[in-house]
Coordinates of all heavy atoms in Angstrom, one line a residue:
M949 N 25.1 169.7 137.5 CA 24.7 168.9 136.4 C 25.9 168.0 136.0 O 27.0 168.5 135.8 CB 24.1 169.7 135.3 CG 23.4 168.9 134.3 SD 22.7 169.9 132.9 CE 21.8 171.2 133.7
M950 N 25.6 166.7 135.8 CA 26.7 165.9 135.4 C 26.3 165.0 134.2 O 25.1 164.6 134.2 CB 27.1 164.9 136.5 CG 27.8 165.7 137.7 SD 28.5 164.5 138.9 CE 27.0 163.9 139.6
L951 N 27.2 164.7 133.3 CA 27.0 163.7 132.2 C 27.7 162.5 132.6 O 29.0 162.5 132.8 CB 27.5 164.3 130.9 CG 27.1 163.5 129.6 CD1 25.6 163.5 129.5 CD2 27.7 164.2 128.4
I952 N 27.0 161.4 132.7 CA 27.6 160.1 133.2 C 27.5 159.0 132.1 O 26.5 158.9 131.6 CB 26.9 159.6 134.5 CG1 27.0 160.7 135.6 CG2 27.4 158.3 135.0 CD1 26.0 160.5 136.7
M953 N 28.6 158.3 131.9 CA 28.6 157.2 131.0 C 28.3 155.9 131.7 O 29.0 155.6 132.7 CB 29.9 157.1 130.2 CG 29.7 156.1 129.0 SD 31.1 156.1 127.9 CE 32.4 155.3 128.8
T954 N 27.3 155.2 131.3 CA 27.0 153.9 132.0 C 27.9 152.8 131.5 O 28.7 153.0 130.6 CB 25.6 153.5 131.7 OG1 25.5 153.1 130.4 CG2 24.6 154.6 132.0
R955 N 27.9 151.7 132.2 CA 28.7 150.5 131.8 C 28.4 150.1 130.4 O 29.3 149.5 129.7 CB 28.4 149.3 132.8 CG 29.0 149.6 134.1 CD 28.5 148.6 135.1 NE 29.2 148.8 136.3 CZ 30.3 148.1 136.7 NH1 30.7 147.1 136.0 NH2 30.9 148.4 137.8
K956 N 27.2 150.3 129.9 CA 26.9 149.9 128.5 C 27.2 151.0 127.5 O 26.8 150.8 126.3 CB 25.4 149.5 128.5 CG 25.1 148.3 129.3 CD 23.6 147.9 129.2 CE 23.4 146.6 130.0 NZ 22.0 146.3 130.1
G957 N 27.8 152.0 127.9 CA 28.2 153.1 127.0 C 27.1 154.1 126.7 O 27.3 155.0 125.9
N958 N 26.0 154.0 127.5 CA 25.0 155.0 127.3 C 25.3 156.2 128.2 O 26.1 156.1 129.1 CB 23.6 154.5 127.7 CG 23.2 153.3 126.9 OD1 23.4 153.4 125.7 ND2 22.7 152.3 127.5
Y959 N 24.7 157.3 127.9 CA 24.9 158.5 128.8 C 23.7 158.9 129.6 O 22.5 158.7 129.1 CB 25.3 159.7 127.9 CG 26.7 159.6 127.4 CD1 27.0 159.0 126.1 CD2 27.8 160.0 128.1 CE1 28.3 158.8 125.7 CE2 29.1 159.9 127.7 CZ 29.3 159.3 126.5 OH 30.6 159.1 126.0
V960 N 23.9 159.3 130.8 CA 22.8 159.8 131.6 C 23.1 161.2 132.1 O 24.2 161.5 132.5 CB 22.6 158.9 132.9 CG1 21.6 159.4 133.8 CG2 22.4 157.4 132.5
L961 N 22.1 162.1 132.0 CA 22.3 163.4 132.4 C 21.7 163.5 133.8 O 20.5 163.3 134.0 CB 21.6 164.4 131.5 CG 21.9 165.9 131.8 CD1 23.4 166.2 131.6 CD2 21.1 166.8 130.8
L962 N 22.5 163.8 134.8 CA 22.1 163.9 136.2 C 22.0 165.4 136.6 O 23.0 166.1 136.6 CB 23.0 163.1 137.1 CG 22.7 163.1 138.6 CD1 21.4 162.4 138.8 CD2 23.8 162.4 139.3
C963 N 20.8 165.8 136.9 CA 20.6 167.2 137.3 C 20.5 167.3 138.8 O 19.8 166.6 139.4 CB 19.3 167.8 136.7 SG 19.4 167.9 134.9
T964 N 21.4 168.1 139.4 CA 21.4 168.2 140.9 C 21.3 169.7 141.2 O 21.7 170.6 140.4 CB 22.7 167.6 141.5 OG1 23.8 168.3 140.9 CG2 22.8 166.2 141.2
L965 N 20.9 170.0 142.4 CA 20.8 171.3 142.9 C 21.9 171.5 143.9 O 21.8 171.1 145.0 CB 19.4 171.6 143.5 CG 18.3 171.6 142.6 CD1 17.0 171.7 143.4 CD2 18.3 172.7 141.5
G966 N 23.0 172.2 143.5 CA 24.0 172.5 144.4 C 25.3 171.8 144.2 O 25.4 170.6 143.7
G967 N 26.4 172.4 144.5 CA 27.8 171.9 144.3 C 28.1 170.7 145.2 O 28.8 169.8 144.8
A968 N 27.7 170.9 146.5 CA 28.1 169.9 147.5 C 27.5 168.5 147.1 O 28.2 167.5 147.2 CB 27.7 170.3 148.9
I969 N 26.2 168.5 146.8 CA 25.6 167.2 146.4 C 26.2 166.6 145.1 O 26.3 165.4 145.0 CB 24.0 167.3 146.4 CG1 23.4 166.0 146.4 CG2 23.6 168.1 145.2 CD1 23.4 165.3 147.8
S970 N 26.5 167.5 144.2 CA 27.1 167.1 143.0 C 28.5 166.4 143.2 O 28.8 165.4 142.6 CB 27.3 168.2 142.0 OG 26.1 168.8 141.6
N971 N 29.3 167.0 144.1 CA 30.6 166.4 144.5 C 30.4 165.0 145.1 O 31.1 164.1 144.8 CB 31.3 167.3 145.4 CG 31.9 168.5 144.7 OD1 32.0 168.5 143.5 ND2 32.1 169.6 145.5
M972 N 29.3 164.9 146.0 CA 29.1 163.7 146.6 C 28.6 162.6 145.6 O 29.1 161.4 145.7 CB 28.1 163.8 147.8 CG 28.1 162.6 148.7 SD 26.9 162.6 150.0 CE 25.5 162.1 149.0
Y973 N 27.8 163.0 144.7 CA 27.4 162.0 143.7 C 28.6 161.6 142.9 O 28.7 160.4 142.5 CB 26.3 162.7 142.7 CG 24.9 162.7 143.2 CD1 24.1 163.8 143.0 CD2 24.4 161.6 143.9 CE1 22.8 163.8 143.5 CE2 23.1 161.6 144.3 CZ 22.3 162.7 144.1 OH 21.0 162.7 144.6
A974 N 29.5 162.5 142.6 CA 30.6 162.1 141.8 C 31.5 161.1 142.5 O 31.9 160.1 141.9 CB 31.5 163.4 141.5
M975 N 31.6 161.3 143.8 CA 32.4 160.3 144.6 C 31.6 158.9 144.7 O 32.2 157.9 144.6 CB 32.6 160.8 146.0 CG 33.5 162.0 146.1 SD 33.6 162.7 147.8 CE 34.9 161.8 148.4
L976 N 30.3 159.0 144.8 CA 29.5 157.8 144.9 C 29.6 157.0 143.6 O 29.8 155.8 143.6 CB 28.0 158.3 145.1 CG 26.9 157.2 145.1 CD1 27.0 156.4 146.4 CD2 25.6 157.8 145.0
I977 N 29.5 157.7 142.4 CA 29.6 157.1 141.1 C 31.0 156.5 140.9 O 31.1 155.4 140.4 CB 29.2 158.1 140.0 CG1 27.7 158.4 140.2 CG2 29.5 157.6 138.6 CD1 27.2 159.7 139.5
A978 N 32.0 157.2 141.3 CA 33.4 156.7 141.1 C 33.6 155.5 141.9 O 34.1 154.5 141.4 CB 34.4 157.8 141.5
R979 N 33.1 155.5 143.1 CA 33.2 154.3 144.0 C 32.4 153.1 143.4 O 32.9 152.0 143.3 CB 32.7 154.6 145.4 CG 32.8 153.4 146.3 CD 32.3 153.8 147.7 NE 30.9 154.0 147.8 CZ 30.2 154.2 148.9 NH1 30.8 154.4 150.0 NH2 28.9 154.4 148.8
F980 N 31.2 153.4 142.9 CA 30.4 152.3 142.3 C 31.1 151.7 141.1 O 31.0 150.5 140.8 CB 29.0 152.8 142.0 CG 28.1 151.7 141.5 CD1 27.7 150.6 142.3 CD2 27.7 151.7 140.1 CE1 26.9 149.6 141.8 CE2 27.0 150.7 139.6 CZ 26.5 149.6 140.4
K981 N 31.7 152.6 140.3 CA 32.3 152.1 139.0 C 33.5 151.2 139.4 O 33.6 150.1 138.7 CB 32.8 153.3 138.2 CG 33.5 152.9 136.9 CD 33.8 154.1 136.0 CE 34.6 153.7 134.8 NZ 34.1 152.6 134.0
M982 N 34.3 151.5 140.4 CA 35.4 150.7 140.7 C 35.0 149.4 141.6 O 35.6 148.4 141.4 CB 36.4 151.5 141.5 CG 37.1 152.6 140.8 SD 37.9 152.0 139.2 CE 39.1 151.0 139.9
F983 N 34.0 149.6 142.4 CA 33.6 148.5 143.3 C 32.1 148.4 143.4 O 31.4 148.8 144.3 CB 34.1 148.8 144.8 CG 35.6 149.0 144.8 CD1 36.1 150.3 144.9 CD2 36.5 148.0 144.8 CE1 37.5 150.5 145.0 CE2 37.8 148.1 144.8 CZ 38.4 149.4 144.9
P984 N 31.5 147.9 142.3 CA 30.0 147.8 142.3 C 29.4 146.9 143.4 O 28.3 147.1 143.8 CB 29.7 147.2 140.9 CG 31.0 146.6 140.4 CD 32.1 147.3 141.1
E985 N 30.2 146.1 144.0 CA 29.7 145.2 145.1 C 29.4 146.0 146.3 O 28.7 145.6 147.2 CB 30.7 144.1 145.4 CG 32.1 144.6 145.9 CD 33.1 144.9 144.8 OE1 32.7 145.2 143.7 OE2 34.3 144.9 145.2
V986 N 29.8 147.3 146.4 CA 29.5 148.1 147.5 C 28.0 148.3 147.7 O 27.5 148.5 148.8 CB 30.3 149.5 147.4 CG1 29.7 150.4 146.4 CG2 30.4 150.1 148.8
K987 N 27.3 148.2 146.5 CA 25.9 148.4 146.6 C 25.2 147.4 147.5 O 24.3 147.8 148.3 CB 25.3 148.4 145.2 CG 23.8 148.5 145.1 CD 23.3 148.5 143.7 CE 21.8 148.5 143.6 NZ 21.3 148.3 142.2
E988 N 25.6 146.2 147.3 CA 24.9 145.1 148.1 C 25.7 144.9 149.5 O 25.0 144.6 150.5 CB 24.9 143.8 147.4 CG 23.9 143.8 146.2 CD 24.5 144.3 144.9 OE1 25.8 144.4 144.9 OE2 23.8 144.6 144.0
K989 N 27.0 144.9 149.4 CA 27.7 144.5 150.6 C 28.2 145.6 151.5 O 28.7 145.3 152.6 CB 28.9 143.7 150.1 CG 28.6 142.6 149.1 CD 29.1 141.3 149.5 CE 28.7 140.2 148.5 NZ 27.4 139.7 148.7
G990 N 28.2 146.8 151.0 CA 28.6 147.9 151.9 C 30.1 148.1 151.9 O 30.9 147.4 151.2
M991 N 30.6 149.1 152.7 CA 32.0 149.4 152.7 C 32.9 148.3 153.2 O 34.1 148.3 152.9 CB 32.2 150.7 153.5 CG 31.7 151.9 152.9 SD 32.7 152.3 151.4 CE 34.2 152.9 152.1
A992 N 32.4 147.4 153.9 CA 33.2 146.3 154.4 C 33.7 145.4 153.3 O 34.7 144.7 153.5 CB 32.4 145.4 155.4
A993 N 33.1 145.5 152.1 CA 33.5 144.6 151.0 C 34.6 145.3 150.1 O 35.1 144.6 149.2 CB 32.3 144.3 150.2
V994 N 34.9 146.5 150.4 CA 35.9 147.2 149.5 C 37.1 147.5 150.3 O 37.1 147.7 151.6 CB 35.3 148.4 148.9 CG1 34.1 148.1 148.1 CG2 35.0 149.5 149.9
P995 N 38.3 147.7 149.7 CA 39.5 148.1 150.4 C 39.3 149.6 150.9 O 38.4 150.3 150.5 CB 40.6 148.0 149.3 CG 39.9 148.0 148.0 CD 38.5 147.5 148.2
R996 N 40.3 150.0 151.7 CA 40.2 151.4 152.2 C 40.3 152.3 151.0 O 41.2 152.1 150.1 CB 41.3 151.7 153.2 CG 41.2 153.1 153.7 CD 42.2 153.5 154.7 NE 42.1 154.9 155.0 CZ 43.0 155.6 155.5 NH1 44.2 155.2 155.7 NH2 42.8 156.9 155.8
L997 N 39.4 153.2 150.9 CA 39.4 154.2 149.7 C 40.0 155.5 150.2 O 39.8 156.0 151.3 CB 38.0 154.4 149.3 CG 37.2 153.2 148.8 CD1 35.8 153.5 148.4 CD2 37.9 152.5 147.7
I998 N 40.8 156.0 149.3 CA 41.5 157.3 149.5 C 41.1 158.2 148.4 O 41.2 157.8 147.2 CB 43.0 157.2 149.5 CG1 43.5 156.0 150.5 CG2 43.7 158.5 149.8 CD1 43.5 156.4 151.9
A999 N 40.8 159.4 148.7 CA 40.5 160.5 147.7 C 41.6 161.5 147.7 O 41.9 162.1 148.8 CB 39.1 161.1 147.9
F1000 N 42.2 161.7 146.6 CA 43.3 162.7 146.4 C 42.6 163.9 145.7 O 42.0 163.8 144.7 CB 44.5 162.2 145.6 CG 45.2 161.1 146.3 CD1 44.9 159.8 146.0 CD2 46.2 161.3 147.3 CE1 45.6 158.7 146.6 CE2 46.8 160.3 147.9 CZ 46.5 159.0 147.6
T1001 N 42.8 165.1 146.3 CA 42.3 166.3 145.7 C 43.1 167.5 146.0 O 44.0 167.4 146.9 CB 40.8 166.5 146.3 OG1 40.2 167.6 145.6 CG2 40.8 166.7 147.8
S1002 N 43.0 168.5 145.3 CA 43.7 169.7 145.5 C 43.5 170.4 146.9 O 42.4 170.3 147.4 CB 43.4 170.7 144.4 OG 43.7 172.1 144.8
E1003 N 44.5 171.0 147.4 CA 44.3 171.7 148.7 C 43.3 172.8 148.5 O 42.8 173.3 149.5 CB 45.6 172.2 149.2 CG 46.3 173.3 148.4 CD 47.6 173.8 148.9 OE1 47.8 173.7 150.1 OE2 48.4 174.2 148.1
H1004 N 43.0 173.2 147.3 CA 42.1 174.3 147.0 C 40.7 173.7 146.8 O 39.8 174.5 146.5 CB 42.5 175.1 145.9 CG 43.9 175.8 146.1 ND1 44.1 176.7 147.1 CD2 45.1 175.6 145.5 CE1 45.3 177.1 147.1 NE2 46.0 176.4 146.1
S1005 N 40.5 172.4 146.8 CA 39.2 171.9 146.5 C 38.2 172.3 147.6 O 38.5 172.7 148.7 CB 39.2 170.4 146.4 OG 39.6 169.8 147.6
H1006 N 36.9 172.2 147.3 CA 35.9 172.6 148.2 C 35.7 171.6 149.4 O 35.9 170.4 149.2 CB 34.5 172.7 147.4 CG 33.5 173.5 148.1 ND1 32.5 172.9 148.9 CD2 33.2 174.8 148.1 CE1 31.7 173.8 149.4 NE2 32.1 175.0 148.9
F1007 N 35.4 172.2 150.6 CA 35.4 171.3 151.7 C 34.2 170.3 151.7 O 34.2 169.3 152.4 CB 35.2 172.2 153.0 CG 33.9 172.9 153.1 CD1 32.8 172.3 153.8 CD2 33.7 174.1 152.6 CE1 31.6 172.9 153.9 CE2 32.5 174.8 152.7 CZ 31.4 174.2 153.3
S1008 N 33.3 170.5 150.7 CA 32.2 169.5 150.6 C 32.7 168.1 150.2 O 32.0 167.1 150.4 CB 31.2 170.0 149.5 OG 31.8 170.1 148.3
L1009 N 34.0 168.0 149.6 CA 34.5 166.7 149.3 C 34.7 165.9 150.6 O 34.5 164.7 150.7 CB 35.8 166.8 148.6 CG 35.6 167.3 147.1 CD1 37.0 167.7 146.5 CD2 35.0 166.1 146.3
K1010 N 35.1 166.6 151.7 CA 35.3 165.9 153.0 C 33.9 165.6 153.5 O 33.7 164.5 154.1 CB 36.0 166.8 154.0 CG 37.5 166.8 153.7 CD 38.3 167.2 154.9 CE 39.8 167.0 154.5 NZ 40.6 166.8 155.7
K1011 N 32.9 166.4 153.4 CA 31.6 166.1 153.8 C 31.0 164.9 153.1 O 30.4 164.0 153.7 CB 30.6 167.3 153.6 CG 30.9 168.5 154.6 CD 30.2 169.7 154.2 CE 28.7 169.6 154.2 NZ 28.0 170.9 153.9
G1012 N 31.3 164.9 151.8 CA 30.9 163.7 151.0 C 31.5 162.4 151.5 O 30.9 161.4 151.6
A1013 N 32.8 162.5 151.8 CA 33.5 161.3 152.2 C 33.0 160.9 153.6 O 32.8 159.6 153.8 CB 35.0 161.7 152.4
A1014 N 32.6 161.8 154.4 CA 31.9 161.4 155.7 C 30.6 160.7 155.4 O 30.3 159.7 156.0 CB 31.8 162.7 156.6
A1015 N 29.8 161.3 154.6 CA 28.5 160.7 154.3 C 28.5 159.4 153.7 O 27.7 158.5 153.9 CB 27.7 161.7 153.5
L1016 N 29.6 159.1 152.8 CA 29.7 157.9 152.1 C 30.4 156.8 152.9 O 30.6 155.7 152.4 CB 30.4 158.1 150.8 CG 29.6 159.0 149.8 CD1 30.5 159.3 148.6 CD2 28.3 158.3 149.3
G1017 N 30.8 157.1 154.1 CA 31.5 156.1 154.9 C 33.0 155.9 154.5 O 33.6 155.0 154.9
I1018 N 33.5 156.9 153.8 CA 34.9 156.8 153.4 C 35.8 157.4 154.5 O 36.9 156.9 154.8 CB 35.1 157.5 152.0 CG1 34.4 156.8 150.9 CG2 36.6 157.7 151.7 CD1 34.2 157.5 149.6
G1019 N 35.2 158.5 155.1 CA 35.9 159.1 156.2 C 36.7 160.3 155.8 O 37.4 160.3 154.7
T1020 N 36.6 161.4 156.6 CA 37.3 162.6 156.2 C 38.8 162.4 156.2 O 39.5 163.1 155.5 CB 36.9 163.7 157.1 OG1 37.2 163.4 158.5 CG2 35.4 164.1 157.0
D1021 N 39.4 161.5 157.1 CA 40.8 161.3 157.1 C 41.3 160.7 155.8 O 42.5 160.7 155.5 CB 41.2 160.4 158.3 CG 41.1 161.1 159.6 OD1 40.9 162.4 159.6 OD2 41.3 160.5 160.6
S1022 N 40.4 160.2 155.0 CA 40.8 159.5 153.7 C 40.8 160.5 152.6 O 41.0 160.1 151.4 CB 39.9 158.3 153.5 OG 40.1 157.3 154.5
V1023 N 40.5 161.7 152.8 CA 40.6 162.7 151.8 C 42.0 163.4 151.9 O 42.2 164.1 152.9 CB 39.5 163.8 151.9 CG1 39.6 164.8 150.8 CG2 38.1 163.1 151.7
I1024 N 42.8 163.2 151.0 CA 44.2 163.7 151.1 C 44.3 165.0 150.2 O 44.0 164.9 149.0 CB 45.2 162.7 150.6 CG1 45.0 161.3 151.3 CG2 46.7 163.2 150.7 CD1 45.3 161.4 152.8
L1025 N 44.7 166.1 150.8 CA 44.8 167.4 150.1 C 46.2 167.5 149.6 O 47.2 167.4 150.3 CB 44.4 168.5 151.1 CG 43.0 168.5 151.7 CD1 42.8 169.7 152.6 CD2 42.0 168.4 150.7
I1026 N 46.3 167.7 148.3 CA 47.6 167.8 147.6 C 48.0 169.2 147.5 O 47.2 170.1 147.0 CB 47.5 167.1 146.2 CG1 47.0 165.7 146.3 CG2 48.9 167.2 145.5 CD1 47.9 164.7 147.0
K1027 N 49.2 169.5 147.9 CA 49.7 170.9 147.8 C 49.8 171.3 146.3 O 50.2 170.5 145.5 CB 51.0 171.1 148.5 CG 50.9 171.0 150.0 CD 52.0 171.9 150.6 CE 51.8 172.1 152.1 NZ 50.6 172.8 152.4
C1028 N 49.5 172.5 146.0 CA 49.6 173.0 144.6 C 50.5 174.2 144.5 O 50.6 175.0 145.5 CB 48.2 173.4 144.2 SG 47.0 172.1 144.2
D1029 N 51.1 174.4 143.4 CA 51.9 175.6 143.2 C 51.0 176.7 142.6 O 49.8 176.5 142.5 CB 53.1 175.3 142.3 CG 52.7 174.9 140.9 OD1 51.5 175.1 140.5 OD2 53.6 174.3 140.2
E1030 N 51.5 177.8 142.2 CA 50.7 178.9 141.8 C 50.0 178.7 140.5 O 49.1 179.4 140.1 CB 51.6 180.2 141.6 CG 52.7 180.1 140.5 CD 53.9 179.3 140.9 OE1 54.0 178.9 142.1 OE2 54.7 179.1 140.0
R1031 N 50.3 177.6 139.8 CA 49.6 177.3 138.5 C 48.4 176.4 138.8 O 47.6 176.0 138.0 CB 50.5 176.7 137.5 CG 51.5 177.7 137.0 CD 52.4 177.1 135.9 NE 53.3 176.1 136.6 CZ 54.0 175.2 135.9 NH1 54.0 175.1 134.7 NH2 54.8 174.4 136.6
Ligands
LIG1106 C1 33.7 173.6 143.7 C2 32.5 173.7 144.6 N1 32.0 172.6 145.1 C3 30.9 172.7 146.0 C4 30.4 174.0 146.3 C5 29.2 174.0 147.3 O1 28.0 174.4 146.6 P1 26.6 174.4 147.3 O2 26.7 175.4 148.4 O3 25.7 174.8 146.1 O4 26.3 173.0 147.8 C6 30.9 175.1 145.8 C7 30.4 176.4 146.2 O5 30.9 177.5 145.8 C8 32.0 175.0 144.9 O6 32.6 176.1 144.4

C-alpha cells in the first residue's frame, strides 16, 4: 500500500497485493514524476535512468527495472556497513 502525492498536491492511496509489484509501481511513479513525457514517448525520450539502492534491497527492484525498460544493469547496489 502506498500514499502518493499528485502534482496538484492531492493524495492517492494505492492498494497493491505484494511487495514486488509495489516496488515496481514506486519506480514507475518516480520515473513519471521526473519524466512525464515517458507516458507518450516511451523510454527513447528520457535519458538513461539509474536506480541506486542498498545491496540488501529486494531483488524485485531489478525485476521492476527489467519490466519498465530501465534494465537490470542500471540498478546499482550500494555497499552498506553494519548500520
Ligand atoms: C522489501 C521487499 N520487497 C519485495 C518483496 C516481494 O514481495 P512479494 O513476494 O509479495 O511480491 C519482499 C518480500 O519479502 C520484500 O521484503
Side-chain angles (χ1 to χ4, degrees):
M949 193 178 310
M950 291 189 286
L951 191 60
I952 300 162
M953 188 169 75
T954 68
R955 287 169 174 262
K956 293 181 179 171
N958 299 317
Y959 287 92
V960 175
L961 190 63
L962 180 63
C963 295
T964 59
L965 294 174
I969 195 74
S970 297
N971 287 339
M972 196 185 77
Y973 278 140
M975 296 175 87
L976 178 74
I977 291 162
R979 183 179 66 178
F980 182 71
K981 181 171 173 53
M982 294 305 297
F983 304 102
E985 64 273 23
V986 75
K987 179 179 173 186
E988 289 86 17
K989 310 230 179 284
M991 285 297 285
V994 301
R996 182 179 178 203
L997 301 179
I998 308 282
F1000 295 96
T1001 184
S1002 157
E1003 64 180 334
H1004 299 296
S1005 63
H1006 196 264
F1007 69 90
S1008 60
L1009 288 167
K1010 285 203 170 203
K1011 287 170 63 178
L1016 294 172
I1018 293 168
T1020 57
D1021 287 353
S1022 297
V1023 178
I1024 308 297
L1025 303 180
I1026 305 295
K1027 288 210 168 298
C1028 299
D1029 61 20
E1030 65 283 353
R1031 289 181 292 166

